[in-house]
Amino acid sequence: MAETNMQVCGVCGVKIIKMVGGDRVLFSVGPPGTRETLWQKVCKHAQNSGCINRQDG
């Protein structure tokens, strides 16, 4: 896994690894998940402009 395939969110600190077939989200606690899981657990509640997992529309 190359470092360039990983993003770290400045808002919540999760790591998102770009992968073929779907990105993998590494939470600080618990099992890895998807961007949708991250959205449901964190992003939709935080609503911060610095979020790297924004879902516009």
Side-chain angles (χ1 to χ4, degrees):
M1 224 176 319
E3 290 289 324
T4 57
N5 289 339
M6 185 173 66
Q7 296 177 295
V8 178
C9 182
V11 176
C12 65
V14 299
K15 295 176 181 155
I16 299 176
I17 301 171
K18 298 285 236 175
M19 299 180 78
V20 175
D23 297 343
R24 183 178 196 132
V25 178
L26 303 177
F27 297 100
S28 59
V29 175
T34 63
R35 282 185 178 263
E36 178 61 28
T37 304
L38 174 60
W39 177 259
Q40 293 298 323
K41 288 182 175 181
V42 181
C43 304
K44 74 176 183 179
H45 303 291
Q47 297 185 6
N48 189 302
S49 62
C51 180
I52 62 174
N53 190 41
R54 295 188 61 189
Q55 291 191 357
D56 299 322

